[in-house]
Amino acid sequence: MIIDRRDALKRAGLLALGTAAWSPAALTRALAQGAATQAPRRGGVLTVQLNGEQRVLNPAIRASTGVYVITSKIVEPLVDLDQDGKPAGVLATSWEAAPDGKTVTFRLRQGVTWHDGKPFTSADVQYTAMELWKKYLNYGTQLQLYLDAVDTPDPHTAVFRYSRPMPLNLLLRALCDLGYVAPRHVFEGTNVLENPANTAPIGTGPFKFVSYERGQHVIAERNPNYWREGFPYLDRIVWRFIIDKAAASAALETGQVQLSTYNALALADLDRLKSDPRFTVSSKGLEANAFNNTLEFNTRRKELADVRVRRAIAHAIDVPFFIENFIYGLGKPATGPIPSSSTAFYPDNPPPYAFDPKKAAALLDEAGFKRGAGGTRFSLKLVPIMNGEDVPLLATFIQQSLQAVGIKVDIVNLDTAGALSTVYRDWNFDLATGWHQYRGDPAVSTTVWYRSGSPKGAPWTNQYGWQSDLVDRLTDEAASELDPEKRKALYAQWVKAVNDEIPVWMMTERTFLSATSKRVHGDHNTPRWGSGDWHDAWIEA
Amino acid sequence: MTILLLALRRLAASLPTLLVILAGLFLLLQLAPGDTVDALMAQMGGGDPATAEELRRYYGLDLPAAAQLARYLWRLVQLDLGQSAIYGKPVATVIAERLPVTLLLMGASLTLAFAGGMVLGVVAARRIGQWPDTLISTLGLMFYATPSFWFGLMGIVLFAIHLGWLPAGGFEEVGAGYTGLTRVLDIARHLVLPTLTLALVFLATYLRIMRASMLEVMSLDYVRTARAKGLGETGVIVRHALRNALLPMVTLVGLQAGTMLGGSVVVESVFALPGLGRLAYESVVQRDLNTLLGIVFVSALLVITVNFLVDLIYGRLDPRIAAGR
């Protein structure tokens, strides 16, 4: 059944929502905008739509885009990526690593104050690193595993001491996400998990926290004492929780909100808004948060323990077709776990498994799983791990693709919490499909998908009953290799090794999308802008 | 005094039921795979198992299920609903924050549905088999059969996107800082579409019930008597027939009080309203036992209260019921 899904949807009238007529005035405004870059305007309110509510608004103990999209405007990290994707100082101004890689010294910005008026010093960095990043922050705990101490020779110097070499580039890239600094005087001596500042954050950023109405909105307003003179431009930022995706796009089109990021809208609406002159729909400014659709194999199943079967399954699925017809062409076939946007490591190889059902069938025959009664070789249980709306679609597509080569697939539908425990804690699956998110450096959240020895129950890690000495050795060497060139070479070998063995197959490579009103400017100008501080964003009157 | 005694008797009789409901729900959620920490991990995008264990201890999930249940019920006896895992605040506070929105929305919808259903039901019953009856019955069937989210979305498309008369969602204008009457009017504007969306489904039910019960009552002897003594048609309907015809309607409202506090997940999602329906849905997805049980507990109390009130209203409407007590 080959039809262009978009046409089918249009015919079914599903896209009728908001094919609204819009006024000539809007058209002339849109045309005028293209003409000249205006001077930034001070003032105004930017309203952002979010499609989920976090339990905690503290980026020093929770690393997730859902937290950053709000808190990174209020709380600041030591470093962030600049317009060229290079680490640039925020609360740190400069850094140097000792030749043995075991000490990294950060010089801190002077004259910065917390929103409650207290000065920001190295004591805050020391406390946050040792007590929050090392103990509570997901992915931070692994990153800072070998952090022994943070010395503070003076109020504006923090010296990180590691017991094993820490590549400076790895640390800097990771600290963009895992380097948000919390105020020591607010957290020290309290129960960190229950501190009220977790939902009413106090930071040093361009915007001050105002209020958080559960289920409705979060509001932050201009910080008049911000250390960047003359910034921010905006008076306030309002984040509104609109869960229903159709309602969310209606809010965008009626001007109630001006920005929706990290795929908080339905793909169909994003595709439709692309051709609406009032909005920009783009992945620019979100490149740092690349993600993949995965296919994960439980190699405890004897059929899946055979690498030929895993390869056959990869050959049996037409990834380009899926991308074109199910996700509006918003992605490309992946070449491995490291995305092409990660230029420091990307090995630039072709996608390892081209669509080739004949080859798939031959491999399955070779592995000794002949077609039995009714043409079926064996059957597998597939658990979709819900992340985005494309996951169930892909599950169905995998089911149909594998049926063609004689593998029967039963889909087990669970909600996210159920799927995570079923796959990663109970190992009660044959295949699983979800998302892998890349976090700036393979050592942060990517190699754990392949490195053996991950304790039972850790989601998005190697729970596949699969182990490779080569992959383990490459993972460990690359994690503490100080020379960037050598690190890149090690990761190239690593990609080749995991592509050959595929305990997890990275099927697509994608970036998130934002839909932004053209009234918004100074936006999406860094690779992790969605998680940026927005000090230079402004909005037309 | 007798009323107070009656109320207390009622409450005592419903306590075992309440206990069974709470324990049953608790066990039901135990059967669902995954716990609140899994949901949290999903939100965080992963983390290491040590953190997960730490969090399980923090949420009290390291105990066996029986111990967790005992702990919960013991706290309940002290009228403590526990901490909400989603919001890290006492459940009582979280529910109290959501209650006004839900009560406003459901109260307005039920009132509209009750009034509209009553009037339309009476009109249909009076003009049985003629065009008003056919029209009203057809409309009722349509409202009843149409999914409410579709009504809501079409309302948004028409009134918010095309005409721009009403806001597309939300409870009030965020950050506008309205106070007093301006704020009341603002909230009212935001609630027009959700109220209508929710009311239409109820309205369809009520008008069917009202029509049937009017038809039944109008054929009874005492209505004939009323006419025979020379009362006009309006007098007969308002003073005699309506009182008795309203009994099933009142019963239905009593039954729907529970639905009311449960909130409407669909309408709240479509219109981005922070009501209890969404909260209940969130607590299931996030496996937040305390919050869910808290909502059930409060809903159950409300149902008991409302049904008690319904009994009193019965007595007012039909003296025979009061006499039989």
Side-chain angles (χ1 to χ4, degrees):
Chain A
M1 193 184 90
I2 300 180
I3 48 168
D4 185 331
R5 202 163 152 273
R6 260 165 289 179
D7 280 354
L9 281 176
K10 279 194 188 108
R11 274 204 302 273
L14 284 179
L15 297 185
L17 231 191
T19 34
W22 37 278
S23 65
L27 181 62
T28 46
R29 198 173 61 229
L31 288 172
Q33 269 177 37
T37 47
Q38 304 125 294
R41 161 182 170 257
R42 271 180 86 80
V45 181
L46 175 63
T47 310
V48 185
Q49 177 257 334
L50 301 178
N51 66 347
E53 211 170 344
Q54 295 287 331
R55 296 188 195 185
V56 164
L57 299 181
N58 178 356
I61 61 169
R62 287 277 190 281
S64 133
T65 49
V67 176
Y68 305 140
V69 76
I70 299 174
T71 52
S72 61
K73 293 69 190 152
I74 301 166
V75 185
E76 291 184 306
L78 287 175
V79 290
D80 197 352
L81 297 179
D82 65 7
Q83 312 217 345
D84 310 321
K86 299 269 184 299
V90 181
L91 286 179
T93 51
S94 66
W95 41 84
E96 56 185 332
D100 67 356
K102 291 187 179 176
T103 344
V104 181
T105 305
F106 286 95
R107 303 260 172 244
L108 305 177
R109 193 171 297 281
Q110 308 202 10
V112 177
T113 50
W114 294 101
H115 293 156
D116 61 7
K118 299 260 192 327
F120 157 77
T121 67
S122 54
D124 296 309
V125 177
Q126 178 191 48
Y127 174 82
T128 307
M130 294 304 292
E131 297 299 320
L132 304 187
W133 300 347
K134 198 173 158 64
K135 288 184 183 170
Y136 296 102
L137 180 65
N138 48 324
Y139 298 112
T141 50
Q142 290 102 314
L143 179 74
Q144 308 296 3
L145 194 60
Y146 301 110
L147 175 67
D148 286 346
V150 177
D151 298 345
T152 51
D154 66 63
H156 304 294
T157 310
V159 184
F160 285 58
R161 301 199 173 282
Y162 290 92
S163 54
R164 284 198 195 179
M166 166 63 80
L168 181 62
N169 283 339
L170 160 60
L171 183 64
L172 291 175
R173 261 189 296 267
L175 283 181
C176 296
D177 268 2
L178 308 176
Y180 284 86
V181 185
R184 180 179 193 143
H185 62 272
V186 173
F187 282 91
E188 199 168 32
T190 67
N191 178 339
V192 168
L193 289 176
E194 289 184 2
N195 193 302
N198 286 337
T199 47
I202 296 165
T204 55
F207 296 92
K208 281 200 306 201
F209 173 83
V210 177
S211 66
Y212 176 10
E213 292 289 335
R214 311 287 169 167
Q216 292 193 70
H217 53 78
V218 177
I219 301 179
E221 65 183 5
R222 173 200 308 277
N223 169 12
N225 305 320
Y226 188 48
W227 55 266
R228 282 186 174 105
E229 289 291 317
F231 291 103
Y233 292 129
L234 293 165
D235 282 342
R236 353 175 93 196
I237 302 176
V238 175
W239 293 268
R240 287 190 52 194
F241 302 110
I242 305 175
I243 315 290
D244 185 85
K245 289 187 168 180
S249 73
L252 193 71
E253 290 178 78
T254 53
Q256 281 191 315
V257 304
Q258 294 88 41
L259 169 68
S260 170
T261 186
Y262 291 126
N263 287 27
L265 296 178
L267 290 173
D269 285 320
L270 287 167
D271 190 57
R272 179 172 56 79
L273 292 170
K274 260 188 197 162
S275 51
D276 188 326
R278 296 170 301 169
F279 302 101
T280 310
V281 176
S282 161
S283 62
K284 188 183 174 305
L286 303 172
E287 300 91 337
N289 300 91
F291 65 99
N292 311 90
N293 286 91
T294 62
L295 182 54
E296 301 158 42
F297 300 97
N298 188 351
T299 64
R300 295 172 193 86
R301 268 289 298 253
K302 71 174 187 334
E303 293 89 347
L304 298 175
D306 190 327
V307 71
R308 287 171 299 188
V309 174
R310 301 200 294 268
R311 287 173 187 162
I313 287 174
H315 279 303
I317 299 167
D318 188 350
V319 177
F321 181 88
F322 171 78
I323 291 171
E324 191 46 46
N325 296 288
F326 288 80
I327 55 172
Y328 302 92
L330 303 169
K332 54 188 178 184
T335 62
I338 300 179
S340 53
S341 56
S342 182
T343 47
F345 303 105
Y346 185 60
D348 200 14
N349 50 313
Y353 297 98
F355 176 58
D356 189 346
K358 282 201 184 63
K359 190 169 180 181
L363 278 167
L364 288 167
D365 288 336
E366 188 190 324
F369 302 104
K370 297 271 189 273
R371 281 182 188 267
T376 306
R377 301 171 195 271
F378 53 87
S379 51
L380 297 173
K381 190 159 66 170
L382 169 64
V383 182
I385 301 167
M386 295 300 168
N387 249 319
E389 59 184 283
D390 49 272
V391 172
L393 298 177
L394 181 54
T396 311
F397 186 67
I398 291 169
Q399 184 184 39
Q400 298 198 344
S401 304
L402 294 188
Q403 196 168 2
V405 294
I407 301 173
K408 184 172 173 293
V409 173
D410 300 308
I411 297 177
V412 182
N413 281 311
L414 299 158
D415 68 354
T416 315
L420 284 188
S421 66
T422 302
V423 172
Y424 297 107
R425 189 141 30 105
D426 305 338
W427 299 339
N428 184 8
F429 73 109
D430 300 322
L431 302 172
T433 181
W435 286 2
H436 154 249
Q437 286 207 42
Y438 185 78
R439 294 181 180 234
D441 192 294
V444 179
S445 64
T446 300
T447 52
V448 291
W449 287 68
Y450 301 90
R451 175 77 174 85
S452 68
S454 184
K456 193 170 181 175
W460 298 295
T461 64
N462 179 352
Q463 301 290 334
Y464 312 118
W466 175 87
Q467 191 273 336
S468 146
D469 290 340
L470 172 67
V471 168
D472 288 356
R473 186 175 56 77
L474 288 170
T475 302
D476 298 349
E477 276 180 27
S480 55
E481 172 58 58
L482 298 176
D483 181 296
E485 282 308 308
K486 282 191 189 149
R487 255 193 109 203
K488 182 171 180 172
L490 283 170
Y491 279 122
Q493 287 181 50
W494 177 86
V495 169
K496 189 182 174 318
V498 300
N499 276 354
D500 281 347
E501 287 282 323
I502 55 164
V504 180
W505 180 36
M506 300 290 168
M507 302 170 73
T508 62
E509 176 187 315
R510 297 162 61 188
T511 42
F512 289 104
L513 289 170
S514 289
T516 320
S517 159
K518 293 230 170 106
R519 291 175 52 217
V520 180
H521 302 269
D523 60 305
H524 296 88
N525 50 14
T526 69
R528 63 187 291 279
W529 186 83
S531 306
D533 54 34
W534 299 3
H535 69 274
D536 55 347
W538 58 279
I539 190 165
E540 285 172 35
Chain B
M1 199 60 226
T2 44
I3 284 193
L4 194 68
L5 268 176
L6 187 71
L8 284 175
R9 258 216 326 259
R10 273 302 181 78
L11 194 67
S14 0
L15 276 179
T17 321
L18 195 56
L19 201 68
V20 170
I21 290 176
L22 288 175
L25 193 63
F26 182 92
L27 294 172
L28 205 63
L29 267 183
Q30 294 296 321
L31 293 177
D35 59 21
T36 193
V37 175
D38 288 312
L40 183 59
M41 282 287 175
Q43 218 181 43
M44 288 173 12
D48 70 317
T51 314
E53 283 319 302
E54 174 87 26
L55 286 164
R56 284 205 168 86
R57 264 196 302 282
Y58 173 71
Y59 288 123
L61 295 168
D62 49 343
L63 303 168
Q68 284 183 51
L69 180 61
R71 190 195 259 189
Y72 180 81
L73 292 175
W74 174 236
R75 270 209 314 264
L76 199 61
V77 172
Q78 305 159 45
L79 291 180
D80 171 12
L81 294 173
Q83 284 275 326
S84 153
I86 309 180
Y87 290 133
K89 303 205 280 198
V91 169
T93 317
V94 175
I95 292 180
E97 281 173 356
R98 301 281 181 124
L99 212 48
V101 178
T102 299
L103 287 180
L104 251 179
L105 176 63
M106 297 295 284
S109 301
L110 275 178
T111 311
L112 183 66
F114 190 90
M118 190 169 77
V119 171
L120 289 175
V122 171
V123 172
R126 295 302 305 133
R127 300 267 181 279
I128 181 113
Q130 299 164 23
W131 70 263
D133 177 33
T134 316
L135 181 73
I136 289 171
S137 298
T138 313
L139 276 180
L141 191 63
M142 268 171 56
F143 293 157
Y144 189 73
T146 313
S148 55
F149 74 88
W150 189 83
F151 263 131
L153 286 175
M154 288 308 123
I156 291 177
V157 169
L158 182 61
F159 294 106
I161 297 183
H162 273 285
L163 300 171
W165 292 350
L166 292 166
F171 183 62
E172 57 186 320
E173 205 51 58
V174 180
Y178 294 140
T179 48
L181 189 64
T182 338
R183 183 168 177 221
V184 170
L185 288 173
D186 180 53
I187 292 176
R189 272 193 60 213
H190 279 82
L191 284 182
V192 171
L193 278 179
T195 303
L196 279 173
T197 305
L198 197 54
L200 286 179
V201 178
F202 288 128
L203 189 135
T205 323
Y206 287 153
L207 89 83
R208 301 290 307 170
I209 298 273
M210 194 69 205
R211 179 174 174 271
S213 113
M214 268 312 270
L215 286 175
E216 191 188 341
V217 170
M218 293 302 279
S219 66
L220 293 177
D221 284 346
Y222 78 91
V223 174
R224 189 175 308 165
T225 311
R227 287 207 179 110
K229 71 183 187 194
L231 273 182
E233 195 62 9
T234 318
V236 170
I237 288 176
V238 174
R239 294 206 21 221
H240 293 274
L242 205 56
R243 271 178 79 154
N244 279 327
L246 272 178
L247 282 177
M249 288 273 277
V250 174
T251 313
L252 205 59
V253 171
L255 287 173
Q256 276 170 341
T259 323
M260 175 163 167
L261 208 71
S264 161
V265 179
V266 171
V267 170
E268 284 169 20
S269 301
V270 168
F271 291 101
L273 290 169
L276 275 173
R278 275 230 58 90
L279 186 68
Y281 175 79
E282 273 303 302
S283 13
V284 174
V285 170
Q286 303 252 352
R287 304 284 192 277
D288 183 355
L289 254 169
N290 284 355
T291 308
L292 192 63
L293 292 175
I295 294 172
V296 171
F297 180 71
V298 174
S299 308
L301 281 185
L302 185 92
V303 172
I304 292 168
T305 315
V306 169
N307 278 311
F308 180 68
L309 290 175
V310 165
D311 281 355
L312 294 183
I313 295 173
Y314 270 0
R316 297 274 316 151
L317 285 173
D318 187 345
R320 285 175 309 178
I321 297 178
R325 243 195 336 241

